[in-house]
Amino acid sequence: MPEISLTALVLLCLAALLAGWIDAVVGGGGLLLLPALLLGLPHAPAAQILGTNKAVAIVGTTGAAVTYVRKAPVRVGTAVRIGLAALTGSMAGAFFAAGISSEVLRPVIMVVLLGVAAFVMLRPSFGARAEGEERAPLTRARIVTAIVVVGGGIGFYDGLFGPGTGTFLVLALTAVLHLDLVTASATAKIVNVCTNAGALAMFAYQGTVYWQLAAVMAVFNLVGGTVGARMALSRGAGFVRGVLLVVVFSLVAKLAFDQWG
């Protein structure tokens, strides 16, 4: 465990708690957790930060996924297939990452996110299901599209660039599979577990994880993830939609600061 003050440790644990909650509800917990680790461990190598981030995040994501699977109508098999495609896509994205400039990608992603925010605000029914309304049947074509486009495409983006992957997953799953936002969040958590497991295995193999620090923070991340999943299940799509918009605008602000700050 790296040398760290008690104050910094407490703040990191609180960040892990909130990040777990955000990630469980709508994705995007890394927007808080990764910067917190960078601030709390200013002298740590980047690889150690990224590895520790994954070791913490996978615990909260798994806790949220288990909570969702118990109480939400999630098709686990479909989610795992999308997750395996995302894992493959992220590896391909990472392969090409060295040749891509983030200064070029950031403005494009900001425009896409602002378009997404406008769409969600102008379409209040997006990701909502009327009381008594049955779920749309999952056709083979939709499942294949989800595996290729959502899993492979967003997985590729995650390996190539990364920020907002969980949020993009929720939006894409809602659009492609016609899920409500709560079920889309649940499915996204299973996909996230697959991708996080692949990344963590690589970081562990390379020895770039602060395991003791990760273990302490993971407890708080697990609590946040479990509470977030339960709140999303109890409060429904309207609550998830509100959190989604906050996360989208926060991501746009972060990307703008990275680009021009």
Side-chain angles (χ1 to χ4, degrees), residues 26-254:
V26 76
L31 295 174
L32 176 61
L33 186 56
L34 192 56
L37 283 166
L38 288 169
L39 290 173
L41 304 172
H43 304 298
Q48 299 286 152
I49 296 291
L50 293 171
T52 304
N53 174 65
K54 286 298 181 185
V56 174
I58 194 172
V59 176
T61 300
T62 302
V66 170
T67 301
Y68 275 125
V69 168
R70 287 177 175 174
K71 299 184 179 181
V74 185
R75 290 179 170 88
V76 177
T78 299
V80 170
R81 280 184 283 173
I82 296 172
L84 293 176
L87 176 59
T88 303
S90 66
M91 293 173 67
F95 179 79
F96 288 101
I100 300 295
S101 171
S102 60
E103 283 72 22
V104 175
L105 279 177
R106 286 192 193 107
V108 174
I109 301 303
M110 281 188 278
V111 171
V112 172
L113 284 169
L114 289 172
V116 165
F119 177 81
V120 172
M121 287 188 292
L122 294 173
R123 290 284 301 275
S125 61
F126 178 73
R129 183 184 299 143
E131 188 174 350
E133 179 184 353
E134 294 186 1
R135 299 173 63 190
L138 276 186
T139 63
R140 181 179 180 82
R142 283 184 186 169
I143 293 174
V144 171
T145 300
I147 293 172
V148 175
V149 177
V150 181
I154 294 180
F156 183 85
Y157 166 79
D158 190 22
L160 186 70
F161 191 52
T165 296
T167 304
F168 280 129
L169 273 175
V170 173
L171 290 165
L173 288 168
T174 302
V176 174
L177 296 182
H178 293 188
L179 304 176
D180 62 85
L181 284 170
V182 174
T183 306
S185 293
T187 305
K189 290 307 100 194
I190 298 174
V191 175
N192 282 158
V193 171
C194 295
T195 56
N196 284 344
L200 180 58
M202 181 58 68
F203 285 122
Y205 174 76
Q206 295 172 340
T208 55
V209 180
Y210 290 131
W211 290 109
Q212 290 176 305
L213 176 61
V216 175
M217 294 175 64
V219 174
F220 291 83
N221 194 249
L222 176 62
V223 172
T226 304
V227 171
R230 288 178 178 174
M231 288 182 69
L233 288 165
S234 64
R235 299 194 180 189
F239 170 71
V240 175
R241 181 173 174 271
V243 177
L244 172 65
L245 288 172
V246 171
V247 171
V248 166
F249 284 121
S250 298
L251 179 55
V252 170
K254 180 186 182 299

